[in-house]
Amino acid sequence: MDLSFNQLSGRIPDSIGSLSSLSHMDLSFNQLSGRIPDSIGSLSSLSHMDLSFNQLSGRIPDSIGSLSSLSSMDLLWNQLSGRIPDSIGNLSSLSHMDLSSNQLSGNIPTSLGQLSNLYSLVLSYNQLRGDVSEIHFTKLYNLTYLELSGNTLITWNVSRHWIPPFQLKYLDLSSCWNMGPQFPNWLQTQTHLERLDLSNSSIRDSIPEWFHNISSHLQYLDLSDNQIGPEFPNIQTSTHLEYLFLSYTSIRDTIPEWFQNISSHLLYLDLSDNQIHGNLPRIIANINTGMQLLDNTITFYSCNIRDMFG
């Protein structure tokens, strides 16, 4: 059943629970309102559920934990509130869950740590709070995509010696204000990262030496709105970078010569609102012609125009 991108309004009827053989339900991009009915837990054959981009409100029903065949659940961009039910930990077949851009509150249930098939977890831009600890990830062996951004009351509370059971390619913890002050030590185990966003995370620490070991695959790196200066961060092993954001990072240094090695791949660069100084190295000549150099307050002294434009 695919009724997406229509102008459906009103409530999802309770009678939807009688469709016991339904395996695919897509009601996204409509104007549906009201609560998700408890009867949805009767859809025992449902493997794909997409209710995103509606105006659904109220709590996610506990009965959702009865959807034993569910592998993909999208509830993003609604007005859902209250806690994420503990029963979600019963969804043993779940590989993708996106609950972002709602008004969900309370702690993230530790039962999520039992979802051993979970590949993608997106809880960003809610009002979630409390500790995120090792128990939330106990059996998440297949987790590759993790996004918790915009939950300003979440505190990352794991042991300094924690070794996660997963290898992430995508990690977004931006605006998780209680992430710092130190650079998350467990990140050194994530050697397959392609996208890393730790912007606005209250980090007050220089980039550690082990960062070289995880940066070789990075295509996107955002460390902006933290205090990682005063030295220019040593990311010279990040030779696949296409997007680099280092604005408002308290850098008080020159751009190092090794920056030429990564600049040829860059499509987007933001070094604004720092106190970078000194001679402008010959990086512009190596920069991809499609790159956008964002508006800066960088001050360069004794610049040679030939150097600037190659």
Side-chain angles (χ1 to χ4, degrees):
M1 179 172 67
D2 190 344
L3 299 174
S4 60
F5 290 94
N6 280 287
Q7 299 178 33
L8 296 173
S9 59
R11 296 175 176 269
I12 300 174
D14 289 336
S15 58
I16 201 167
S18 63
L19 303 178
S20 57
S21 298
L22 190 66
S23 63
H24 180 106
M25 178 173 65
D26 190 344
L27 302 177
S28 61
F29 291 93
N30 281 289
Q31 300 168 29
L32 298 170
S33 58
R35 295 177 176 271
I36 300 173
D38 288 336
S39 62
I40 209 163
S42 299
L43 302 180
S44 56
S45 300
L46 195 65
S47 63
H48 175 92
M49 178 173 66
D50 191 345
L51 305 179
S52 59
F53 293 92
N54 280 287
Q55 300 167 26
L56 298 170
S57 59
R59 295 177 176 269
I60 300 173
D62 288 335
S63 62
I64 213 163
S66 300
L67 302 178
S68 57
S69 300
L70 195 64
S71 63
S72 177
M73 176 169 63
D74 285 292
L75 302 179
L76 62 152
W77 283 97
N78 279 286
Q79 300 168 24
L80 299 170
S81 58
R83 294 177 177 271
I84 301 173
D86 288 336
S87 62
I88 277 184
N90 298 329
L91 302 178
S92 58
S93 299
L94 197 65
S95 62
H96 165 78
M97 180 170 67
D98 191 338
L99 307 181
S100 62
S101 298
N102 280 286
Q103 300 167 24
L104 298 170
S105 58
N107 296 331
I108 299 174
T110 57
S111 60
L112 281 177
Q114 301 303 309
L115 302 179
S116 58
N117 288 308
L118 197 62
Y119 174 89
S120 172
L121 175 61
V122 186
L123 302 177
S124 57
Y125 297 102
N126 281 287
Q127 300 168 22
L128 299 169
R129 63 173 62 234
D131 288 350
V132 174
S133 63
E134 291 99 324
I135 196 171
H136 287 93
F137 305 101
T138 304
K139 296 183 179 180
L140 301 192
Y141 314 117
N142 294 299
L143 192 65
T144 304
Y145 187 111
L146 176 61
E147 186 173 344
L148 299 177
S149 57
N151 289 288
T152 59
L153 298 178
I154 281 179
T155 301
W156 201 273
N157 186 14
V158 297
S159 166
R160 182 169 177 78
H161 305 292
W162 179 52
I163 300 177
F166 48 72
Q167 277 290 336
L168 299 175
K169 289 186 177 180
Y170 184 112
L171 176 62
D172 187 347
L173 300 176
S174 62
S175 297
C176 291
W177 292 346
N178 295 318
M179 177 61 56
Q182 293 183 318
F183 218 85
N185 196 58
W186 63 271
L187 277 181
Q188 65 183 297
T189 67
Q190 303 301 296
T191 56
H192 293 80
L193 279 171
E194 297 176 2
R195 180 181 176 111
L196 175 61
D197 191 338
L198 296 177
S199 60
N200 193 27
S201 298
S202 301
I203 294 175
R204 298 179 181 86
D205 191 14
S206 57
I207 291 182
E209 287 294 326
W210 51 256
F211 192 82
H212 306 321
N213 299 326
I214 71 168
S215 63
S216 60
H217 297 286
L218 282 176
Q219 299 173 18
Y220 182 107
L221 176 61
D222 191 344
L223 299 176
S224 57
D225 291 282
N226 289 295
Q227 296 182 33
I228 62 173
E231 292 84 13
F232 197 94
N234 190 347
I235 53 174
Q236 58 183 307
T237 56
S238 308
T239 54
H240 292 86
L241 270 179
E242 296 180 351
Y243 298 87
L244 177 60
F245 301 86
L246 293 174
S247 62
Y248 291 98
T249 48
S250 303
I251 298 174
R252 299 177 179 85
D253 199 1
T254 59
I255 297 179
E257 289 297 327
W258 57 254
F259 195 76
Q260 298 180 57
N261 298 329
I262 68 172
S263 63
S264 59
H265 299 280
L266 287 174
L267 301 176
Y268 218 82
L269 172 64
D270 188 352
L271 300 176
S272 61
D273 292 282
N274 287 290
Q275 296 183 36
I276 296 173
H277 58 273
N279 293 318
L280 181 65
R282 291 179 177 271
I283 61 171
I284 302 298
N286 294 326
I287 285 176
N288 188 306
T289 56
M291 193 197 80
Q292 301 182 50
L293 184 65
L294 301 188
D295 184 36
N296 281 273
T297 58
I298 300 174
T299 300
F300 293 103
Y301 300 100
S302 305
C303 290
N304 186 303
I305 295 298
R306 293 179 182 177
D307 284 346
M308 186 176 293
F309 295 102

